[in-house]
Amino acid sequence: MKVGFIGLGNVGGKLAGSLLRNGIDLLVHDLDADLVEGFVARGAEAGEDPAAMMRACDVVITCLPSPAASDAVVTQMIPHMGPGKTWMEMSTTDADEVIRLGALVAATGGLAVECPVSGGCHRADTGNISIFAGGERAGVEHVLPLLRHLGRRILHTGPLGSASKLKVMTNYLATVNLLSLCEALTTMKAAGIDLATTYEAIRISSGTSFVHETESQLILSGSRDVNFTMDLVQKDIGLFQKLADQGGVPLEISPLIIDIMSDGQRRYGMRAQSDRIIERLEEATGLSILADGFPTELVDTEPEEPGYEVTRG
């Protein structure tokens, strides 16, 4: 199976690396020629453009920063799709757009499957990330051999669009957790509690979470570089707010989070690392939310193994 991968950014580059590491015949494309050259040096083949990628490949995976970017790429691929061709959307994107583009793919006789990932760039780098797979069962089974290289836990979420909805929900929850942790750490510092002790208290308690055990460490070390920027946070929580609006759900926390992240962007830049949101509270209080002994980058130490499908019920 010849596989194309379009989008070699923070997440996409790591996912494509898992395919290459596992011996997949890989063609890659990105607007950044240096990223492509890096993959070619490791044994991949450079793709000319999305249309050429689809002509040459059985499966083309996209991992792109916005719905508009996915639309532009898939629009170029559609004329070259048909029976035997598959599009895998691994971007975090708008469910309505996935459904719309998927219908165009289906009209050619091709397959469309959405496969957004969750679990952090450090796990994407080792093939241990989780994957939500949305689409017809036959389509998910068709790409399952690839998904087993790309991630550890694979959940078939239902029809096309379902995975994108669940992905923006999980990113919304992660952002809520990040902001609450910023408030918790700052309040404990103001109360005179050692921050390393605070970290451990949270970690061993009912207050712990994946976000705490990863991002709190980067906040406390001063690195504040989780490989996820504020503009991407805003895209994801905005998509979650859109789902709530469509469903008539009167959210109260979500609009506040959007306002807080917007303020962070005004202060630190549109593409500032999301963990820098702690600096709003540091500036407001004059406190330094730092502690010794925490890592400046996240490294996944879980051994790489073939992924497996998670079943419900």
Side-chain angles (χ1 to χ4, degrees):
M1 180 185 291
K2 184 78 170 180
V3 178
F5 204 108
I6 300 176
L8 303 174
N10 282 339
V11 176
K14 294 173 174 60
L15 294 171
S18 289
L19 294 176
L20 194 61
R21 186 171 61 252
N22 283 281
I24 299 299
D25 187 9
L26 192 66
L27 193 67
V28 296
H29 179 72
D30 194 278
L31 295 178
D32 186 334
D34 290 340
L35 295 177
V36 174
E37 287 178 11
F39 268 84
V40 170
R42 293 157 57 190
E45 182 182 348
E48 180 182 345
D49 56 42
M53 297 274 286
M54 184 53 76
R55 286 195 300 269
C57 296
D58 304 295
V59 177
V60 174
I61 301 169
T62 51
C63 191
L64 300 163
S66 69
S70 289
D71 175 48
V73 167
V74 176
T75 297
Q76 293 180 59
M77 296 194 301
I78 288 290
H80 309 283
M81 294 201 72
K85 298 285 187 177
T86 301
W87 167 51
M88 288 174 59
E89 173 62 290
M90 298 197 78
S91 316
T92 299
T93 190
D94 187 325
D96 290 339
E97 272 294 279
V98 169
I99 293 168
R100 181 184 70 83
L101 293 172
L104 296 177
V105 170
T108 72
L111 282 174
V113 183
E114 56 172 344
C115 309
V117 298
S118 183
C121 283
H122 63 302
R123 287 188 174 175
D125 200 24
T126 57
N128 287 325
I129 203 160
S130 295
I131 301 176
F132 299 153
E136 294 182 5
R137 182 66 204 176
V140 172
E141 289 181 354
H142 179 66
V143 301
L144 202 53
L146 293 176
L147 296 181
R148 290 193 175 111
H149 291 312
L150 290 161
R152 174 65 66 85
R153 289 158 288 274
I154 304 151
L155 177 66
H156 182 202
T157 58
L160 206 64
S162 61
S164 290
K165 292 175 183 177
L166 287 166
K167 175 58 195 296
V168 298
M169 176 204 70
T170 63
N171 280 17
Y172 168 74
L173 290 172
T175 306
V176 172
N177 201 186
L178 171 63
L179 296 181
S180 66
L181 285 163
C182 288
E183 293 190 347
L185 292 170
T186 306
T187 300
M188 289 301 96
K189 177 72 172 184
I193 304 297
D194 175 76
L195 286 179
T197 303
T198 298
Y199 174 85
E200 289 302 325
I202 298 171
R203 187 184 67 82
I204 67 172
S205 74
S206 59
T208 198
S209 65
F210 175 82
V211 174
H212 174 61
E213 294 179 16
T214 55
E215 296 191 53
S216 287
Q217 296 200 70
L218 299 180
I219 287 172
L220 292 170
S221 73
S223 163
R224 294 160 191 189
D225 184 358
V226 73
N227 275 322
F228 201 70
T229 52
M230 290 187 187
D231 60 322
L232 295 178
V233 172
Q234 288 285 51
K235 178 199 70 175
D236 295 349
I237 60 180
L239 289 170
F240 180 75
Q241 181 65 54
K242 175 186 172 182
L243 289 175
D245 292 341
Q246 289 174 335
V249 182
L251 299 183
E252 297 176 292
I253 298 174
S254 175
L256 180 58
I257 289 173
I258 292 170
D259 287 344
I260 291 171
M261 296 306 300
S262 294
D263 183 60
Q265 288 182 295
R266 284 190 293 270
R267 293 174 187 238
Y268 312 122
M270 295 294 290
R271 290 187 53 77
Q273 289 292 315
S274 59
D275 288 345
R276 289 192 63 192
I277 204 68
I278 186 65
E279 294 172 21
R280 293 174 70 253
L281 288 171
E282 287 182 318
E283 291 168 6
T285 62
L287 298 172
S288 177
I289 310 304
L290 297 170
D292 293 332
F294 291 93
T296 57
E297 64 178 349
L298 299 175
V299 178
D300 181 25
T301 58
E302 185 178 10
E304 184 175 5
E305 296 178 2
Y308 61 88
E309 190 170 3
V310 176
T311 56
R312 293 165 284 175

